[in-house]
Amino acid sequence: MGFIDTIKAKAAANKKTIVLAEGMDRRIYEAAAKCIAEDIADIVILASPEEVAANSEGLDISKATVIDPKTSDKLEAYAVKLAELRAKKGVTVDQARDMMTSDYMFYACMMVKMGDADGVVSGACHSTANTLRPSLQIVKTKPGCKLVSAFFLIVVPDCEYGEKGTFIFADSGLEQNPDPEKLAAIAASSAESFELLVGVEPKVAMLSHSTKGSAKHADVDKVVEATRIAKETYPNIKVDGELQLDAAIVPSVAASKAPGSEVAGQANVLIFPDLDAGNIGYKLAQRLGKAEAYGPVTQGIAAPINDLSRGCSADDIVGVVAITSVQCTAK
């Protein structure tokens, strides 16, 4: 059984209600049909009748719940609550209603806030900002979490490294240039996510172009300081750095470059120094290494609300729905 099949089995064993907020995209209906056929979640699609007609031809979505926010019988109650939540920003009930009917993500987040859904998946045809802004305004951050970040769950075929080719790459979707404190927090959240989804001990590598002082630069100093903070603040997590990628995952290289490290050569959670590196890294693995790449999956929001790459396939969406369901179970 492949990794994503294991995630799907976990999702099917404890089904959750997941909202797909982009009923204007054909891939959403393809993914919904697959989720229904595999019985991994109860699916809600937000769409107008015209959007459904234009995008669902030939697909069996009869077991999905389709909601048009404009005509929903819960729109008024949601509008009142949203206006209450955003009262300090001067949002009126009329404005709240307009927000939810013009941008389905606001409606989707209100479904989670009001207990009518467990999680949301969006981003197939909208930016990360479009997905996360309503999430942070309505659902807020998880108590005790220092920041929201995003990771890709990477599954590399026929790979001896990581956990049988399975890794988390972070932050690969959200935090542009984290300072040492944020980088340490991303490491901690990513370790927690890896343990939840993969079920084995995370070993976290703080990546750099330097290994243990082999290069001198302010960018290296940032990773060294982030590693120090992570070890001090999260003593139960196995974390080490700064490490070059080969020293992080290849045992023979680790023995030479970082002898004695409890992470080097064994890392399964890779923390990139900035978003440029993380985004480039996951796409190299996906496009050249033929890896499965699921995400960007968010961590740090009070309920699972996950983004998608706009280049995603229907199968990618199904994978993120399954991951979101498992996150809901943990919540």
Side-chain angles (χ1 to χ4, degrees):
M1 180 181 287
F3 171 76
I4 201 63
D5 295 318
T6 302
I7 292 291
K8 288 178 181 179
K10 289 181 180 179
N14 193 352
K15 285 172 63 180
K16 299 298 180 181
T17 299
I18 306 300
V19 183
L20 300 178
E22 296 172 302
M24 67 294 294
D25 192 299
R26 169 78 177 182
R27 291 169 294 173
I28 295 301
Y29 297 89
E30 293 171 346
K34 292 184 178 188
C35 289
I36 292 165
E38 297 182 48
D39 201 28
I40 64 173
D42 293 323
I43 298 296
V44 176
I45 302 172
L46 301 185
S48 68
E50 293 77 16
E51 288 166 336
V52 175
N55 293 289
S56 65
E57 185 178 355
L59 299 169
D60 182 5
I61 59 163
S62 57
K63 292 185 179 178
T65 300
V66 179
I67 296 174
D68 181 356
K70 295 181 181 67
T71 59
S72 167
D73 59 4
K74 294 192 175 182
L75 179 60
E76 288 308 308
Y78 285 3
V80 170
K81 182 63 176 179
L82 178 53
E84 177 187 316
L85 292 170
R86 303 293 292 161
K88 290 183 179 179
K89 296 296 183 180
V91 174
T92 66
V93 172
D94 286 343
Q95 289 171 330
R97 189 186 306 109
D98 289 342
M99 289 161 64
M100 287 186 288
T101 54
S102 61
D103 184 340
Y104 294 168
M105 264 306 293
F106 282 97
Y107 189 95
C109 289
M110 284 306 300
M111 288 189 70
V112 172
K113 187 71 175 180
M114 301 293 277
D116 295 324
D118 299 300
V120 180
V121 173
S122 185
C125 53
H126 291 89
S127 70
T128 295
N130 286 116
T131 297
L132 292 182
R133 188 183 304 110
S135 310
L136 296 175
Q137 290 179 358
I138 296 170
V139 183
K140 313 288 187 185
T141 55
K142 184 166 63 174
C145 185
K146 294 183 178 180
L147 83 163
V148 175
S149 57
F151 66 85
F152 273 82
L153 203 150
I154 301 292
V155 184
V156 185
D158 303 316
C159 179
E160 61 190 286
Y161 305 126
E163 175 54 33
K164 300 176 183 176
T166 301
F167 298 87
I168 274 181
F169 286 19
D171 185 316
S172 299
L174 182 58
E175 192 66 36
Q176 182 68 51
N177 190 13
D179 61 24
E181 289 78 11
K182 288 183 176 181
L183 207 55
I186 290 167
S189 293
S190 300
E192 182 181 341
S193 294
F194 188 86
E195 189 165 11
L196 168 66
L197 295 172
V198 184
V200 300
E201 182 182 35
K203 297 178 181 178
V204 183
M206 309 295 282
L207 297 182
S208 173
H209 69 275
S210 169
T211 295
K212 300 297 184 179
S214 66
K216 303 297 182 184
H217 191 275
D219 290 346
V220 177
D221 295 340
K222 180 178 85 167
V223 178
V224 171
E225 177 64 6
T227 304
R228 184 195 67 77
I229 294 169
K231 287 182 174 182
E232 183 178 287
T233 309
Y234 312 102
N236 295 329
I237 297 173
K238 286 186 177 179
V239 56
D240 201 10
E242 84 285 14
L243 296 170
Q244 292 164 293
L245 187 279
D246 55 356
I249 66 172
V250 182
S252 61
V253 177
S256 171
K257 292 186 174 183
S261 171
E262 63 179 356
V263 169
Q266 310 171 62
N268 46 34
V269 177
L270 305 181
I271 305 302
F272 292 82
D274 58 39
L275 185 57
D276 284 340
N279 186 273
I280 292 165
Y282 102 76
K283 288 183 177 177
L284 279 171
Q286 180 185 37
R287 301 300 180 180
L288 301 186
K290 307 300 182 184
E292 300 168 38
Y294 300 100
V297 179
T298 59
Q299 48 193 6
I301 300 176
I305 297 176
N306 287 322
D307 196 12
L308 295 163
S309 168
R310 277 174 282 180
C312 66
S313 67
D315 285 335
D316 293 335
I317 298 170
V318 173
V320 174
V321 168
I323 290 168
T324 305
S325 295
V326 173
Q327 289 180 308
C328 291
T329 300
K331 174 180 175 292

